[in-house]
Amino acid sequence: MLTVVEARADEWTEDMDNRIHKGIGVGLDRGFLKPGDNVIVVTGWKAGAGFTNTMRVVTIPSTTIEKPIPIVAGAPNPLEGVKEKDF
């Protein structure tokens, strides 16, 4: 289990990206992961319970990148334009 002790980012998508990258970094540091490995990221389209609907395969980069690639923040919203009252 991994506990993230850094402060949460104000923006939910940025916070999720930070946590995912932290987990990948710990996996690399501990030897669980290596560059070129694939990681399955399961998340939701918005904060809160009951919104998990997205699974992405992320390949660990072969080089260190200065600015992490957005994983959640860069994902398209599958329900863009749909209002909660619609479902």
Side-chain angles (χ1 to χ4, degrees):
M1 184 164 132
L2 174 65
T3 302
V4 178
V5 296
E6 288 86 4
R8 289 179 181 241
D10 291 334
E11 179 65 35
W12 176 78
T13 54
E14 179 185 352
D15 187 57
M16 287 296 97
D17 281 345
N18 292 344
R19 291 167 184 271
I20 292 165
H21 286 286
K22 176 71 171 187
I24 290 171
V26 169
L28 286 165
D29 291 344
R30 295 184 181 176
F32 301 138
L33 300 172
K34 63 185 182 311
D37 283 351
N38 291 320
V39 176
I40 308 278
V41 176
V42 179
T43 188
W45 62 279
K46 73 177 193 175
F51 298 107
T52 304
N53 68 346
T54 306
M55 182 171 27
R56 295 186 67 186
V57 178
V58 177
T59 303
I60 306 297
S62 58
T63 60
T64 303
I65 51 176
E66 300 228 355
K67 183 175 181 187
I69 299 167
I71 296 173
V72 177
N77 181 349
L79 297 176
E80 187 71 41
V82 176
K83 295 176 178 48
E84 287 191 38
K85 66 177 183 164
D86 292 339
F87 49 114

